[in-house]
Amino acid sequence: DAGITQSPRYKITETGRQVTLMCHQTWSHSYMFWYRQDLGHGLRLIYYSAAADITDKGEVPDGYVVSRSKTENFPLTLESATRSQTSVYFCASSGRTNEKLFFGSGTQLSVL
Amino acid sequence: GQQVMQIPQYQHVQEGEDFTTYCNSSTTLSNIQWYKQRPGGHPVFLIQLVKSGEVKKQKRLTFQFGEAKKNSSLHITATQTTDVGTYFCAGRPPNTNAGKSTFGDGTTLTVKP
């Protein structure tokens, strides 16, 4: 849906570099999420946020940092990228009472 | 931790055949959601089931939530080429917040015309 946008769409970086993936939603949804999707696997939760300034770890948080200073933005930072972080990253959002997830179009990240 | 298993991992059908994917959780679930992801696309919400034994239909798609709220299924009648994609279930244990749903690994459906 156009209401949640991710950038960049594609990113190539080198091991050890810091990279930030952006996520912006226009619905004022309370919850925002970051997932990674690897070939042959489902979606694994990295971090989520229930509201501005409230974040919590998901299933695979190591090597990632998030912040949420504004409700509409939820950037994901890889502080020192590793090859194992090569993946497709999806941002998602949902309202407080309706748990339906709206996903962004994804960022395909390659770490060389 | 909670595990959500989906079977089969892949399913190839002839157009017009039926298709079913199953989702099984190691723990009781508060609710279960189903998503569809087209090749190269992002997951799109299909439905949420909340009640024990619940059955919901969307045209040719039938969703069921087990009596024990530990398993669920998605059945597609008379598949079409537009049904191609990966179907994911996502379940949330009781007494956890909305961020705690776990996704299954998905079932990838291919349809031969």
Side-chain angles (χ1 to χ4, degrees), chain B residues 92-110:
Chain B
R92 178 170 68 79
N95 303 317
T96 59
N97 60 34
K100 291 297 187 182
S101 290
T102 298
F103 277 80
D105 284 347
T107 296
T108 299
L109 172 66
T110 55

Side-chain angles (χ1 to χ4, degrees), chain A residues 2 4 30-31 34 37 45 58 63 68 84 101 106 108-109 112:
Chain A
I4 182 164
S30 297
Y31 284 91
W34 274 106
Q37 184 175 40
L45 182 64
R68 195 164 176 209
S84 65
L101 290 172
Q108 190 167 318
L109 175 67
L112 306 180

Side-chain angles (χ1 to χ4, degrees), chain B residues 69-84:
Chain B
K69 300 184 74 173
K70 294 181 71 174
N71 53 68
S72 181
S73 65
L74 158 58
H75 178 82
I76 302 178
T77 303
T79 55
Q80 300 175 358
T81 55
T82 54
D83 295 324
V84 164

Side-chain angles (χ1 to χ4, degrees), chain A residues 21-64:
Chain A
L21 309 183
M22 305 302 292
C23 180
H24 175 80
Q25 53 105 354
T26 59
W27 294 305
S28 299
H29 279 167
S30 297
Y31 284 91
M32 295 189 74
F33 307 83
W34 274 106
Y35 292 90
R36 61 177 288 173
Q37 184 175 40
D38 302 296
L39 278 175
H41 289 86
L43 295 142
R44 291 186 290 173
L45 182 64
I46 304 170
Y47 270 96
Y48 69 100
S49 168
D53 297 321
I54 300 175
T55 62
D56 202 356
K57 295 178 180 179
E59 183 184 354
V60 288
D62 293 345
Y64 303 95

